[in-house]
Amino acid sequence: MNPNLPAQERAIDLVHRMTIAEKASQLVNQARPIPRLKVPAYNFWSEALHGVVSNGTRSFLSRSVSRDL
């Protein structure tokens, strides 16, 4: 993987190299590492409906965001 490529190209390349099982392992809050691709384990929990994220930055909304149709 070439770090000099734009982020979008690197992401496409990374996903292309992943097996189906590796892709599935990334669909949870606490994603497992993929050592052969040098992808570390990470936790990306968030709850967008309530404006809450767990990366240290928090914003709380007084109610759910909805759009009247």
Side-chain angles (χ1 to χ4, degrees):
M1 293 184 281
N2 183 349
N4 297 318
L5 292 175
Q8 184 172 359
E9 287 183 44
R10 292 193 322 257
I12 291 168
D13 180 56
L14 176 63
V15 172
H16 179 75
R17 293 170 187 256
M18 294 168 72
T19 67
I20 297 282
E22 289 168 338
K23 291 174 186 174
S25 76
Q26 303 301 296
L27 298 175
V28 296
N29 290 342
Q30 294 181 335
R32 291 190 251 160
I34 305 173
R36 72 180 189 87
L37 297 175
K38 299 180 181 172
V39 175
Y42 60 95
N43 183 359
F44 61 92
W45 180 88
S46 69
E47 221 282 49
L49 177 63
H50 297 106
V52 179
V53 295
S54 66
N55 67 354
T57 305
R58 289 174 173 38
S59 61
F60 297 94
L61 305 175
S62 60
R63 60 184 172 161
S64 297
V65 177
S66 64
R67 180 177 175 208
D68 295 327
L69 298 177

